[in-house]
Amino acid sequence: MGITRIAKLAGVSTATVSKILNGKDQAISEATRKKVLEIVEREGYIPNAIAKSLKINNTKTIGLIIPDVMNLFFSELARGVEDSADKVGYSVILCNTDNSEAKENKYLHVLQGKRVDGIIMAAVANKSDISLKNCEPPLVLLDRDIETDQPVGRIRIDNEKGIYDAVSFLLKKGCRNIGFISSELINPLTQARLQGYIKALNDNILSYNEDIVFLQDFSIDTGYVGTLNLIQNSKIDGICCGNDLIAIGAIRALKEKNIDIPEDVKVIGFDDISISNYIDPPLTTIKQPIYDMGHEAVDLLIDIIEKRETNLIRILNHSLVERMST
């Protein structure tokens, strides 16, 4: 069913139908407008969104690129993006990179081919400025940052301060030999979290010991393997984890070795994903405003798309949630 068919059934020109469908029907009688819309509804006519977008130069779609849809942090982040986009009339195309730079670059090209109005991306790894120069739609970097001189939006928390607060909390709880398990230093986020760990130790006159630092990726397996590595080689009394998934793996490893949490070893995570309050013991963690970060990313992207004056960098507040793992 096309616009020509609608016009024939209504006994009007295709130009009249087009004006009615696009809300430019001020000079058209109410009777004609009503007749056309009744036929459109009866026949189930669906406008060609791609053709329409070529005329009005937007598609009302946003691309969202995330590293791992199975990670509850990114699932909650995506929900915040989708809910906020829907409220302002935008649809979201979700792209999962599986932490692959090749897939990330592929999706950047795919989304541009689909003429999305803008892209929100949690980057896999740091990359040179050159990799973003060919990205035409407005871009907002969410959570994971990229070092670039390109004028992109950025939504994040202060990751260095977040880990600093986590380690400081463990120190106040009496810990003096605190291990750190996180992701490899592949982007500013992971580098900042390690720097926060080191700074907290230095400010409390404690030495950095690379033997109790384990860097792999943001996964439960990393927490499990890293903890077994730490307790085998050192006498630790606290573990600061780069995210909650790592903390879940750490808790499992400690329990398998009959190490009491929190009496023998205290564990703190990072993110406050939805299950953190339901593991055993419930996890103390640094809370990121995950859903709000998704909302802010959409809000900033729309500001950029509509060329409104705006601050391209928005740093949201984190907080510490104390539970029974410390």
Side-chain angles (χ1 to χ4, degrees), residues 7-251:
K8 185 177 180 179
L9 290 172
V12 298
S13 68
T14 55
T16 296
V17 175
S18 178
K19 288 177 181 178
I20 292 171
L21 292 177
N22 288 287
K24 299 177 180 179
D25 53 1
Q26 294 85 353
I28 298 172
S29 71
E30 178 62 23
T32 299
R33 190 183 74 85
K34 184 177 180 181
K35 182 179 181 181
V36 169
L37 292 177
E38 285 176 350
I39 293 171
V40 166
E41 184 176 359
R42 185 185 74 216
E43 300 294 328
Y45 172 68
I46 300 174
N48 187 326
I50 295 176
K52 184 177 179 181
S53 71
L54 292 172
K55 292 181 181 179
I56 62 177
N57 203 32
N58 69 61
T59 59
K60 288 290 183 179
T61 56
I62 292 171
L64 173 61
I65 303 176
I66 59 175
D68 183 6
V69 73
M70 296 297 290
N71 183 328
L72 288 176
F73 173 82
F74 292 111
S75 299
E76 293 179 35
L77 207 61
R79 181 61 183 269
V81 169
E82 185 174 26
D83 285 354
S84 298
D86 182 64
K87 288 179 181 178
V88 292
Y90 279 76
S91 299
V92 176
I93 300 174
L94 176 63
C95 303
N96 176 57
T97 66
D98 291 320
N99 283 295
S100 163
E101 286 188 72
K103 289 185 72 173
E104 183 177 275
N105 288 327
K106 181 190 79 172
Y107 283 133
L108 281 169
H109 290 295
V110 167
L111 291 172
Q112 291 180 80
K114 292 185 178 295
R115 301 179 61 85
V116 297
D117 297 327
I119 297 173
I120 296 171
M121 179 170 74
V124 172
N126 196 21
K127 51 188 68 183
S128 69
D129 189 44
I130 297 174
S131 65
L132 295 181
K133 283 185 176 178
N134 294 324
C135 184
E136 294 182 2
L139 179 68
V140 169
L141 299 173
L142 179 56
D143 182 50
R144 299 184 181 184
D145 214 339
I146 292 175
E147 293 175 357
T148 175
D149 293 329
Q150 296 296 104
V152 299
R154 302 172 191 270
I155 303 290
R156 64 174 184 264
I157 68 162
D158 186 336
N159 284 282
E160 180 175 325
K161 183 65 165 55
I163 290 293
Y164 182 95
D165 291 346
V167 175
S168 298
F169 180 77
L170 291 178
L171 290 168
K172 288 178 182 177
K173 287 285 187 175
C175 298
R176 286 298 176 268
N177 198 25
I178 302 169
F180 182 62
I181 307 177
S182 189
S183 175
E184 293 176 321
L185 306 181
I186 58 174
N187 57 41
L189 177 150
T190 52
Q191 293 165 7
R193 291 187 184 177
L194 178 61
Q195 287 304 310
Y197 169 74
I198 295 171
K199 188 175 189 300
L201 295 178
N202 290 341
D203 286 354
N204 287 275
I205 319 175
L206 293 171
S207 300
Y208 171 71
N209 178 5
E210 64 179 14
D211 291 338
I212 55 173
V213 173
F214 186 88
L215 305 178
Q216 192 163 299
D217 57 37
F218 286 124
S219 69
I220 293 175
D221 285 345
T222 291
Y224 179 79
V225 174
T227 298
L228 292 178
N229 183 282
L230 263 56
I231 62 178
Q232 181 178 354
N233 299 312
S234 306
K235 180 63 177 176
I236 58 170
D237 53 13
I239 303 176
C240 179
C241 301
N243 75 352
D244 289 346
L245 294 180
I246 290 173
I248 291 170
I251 287 172

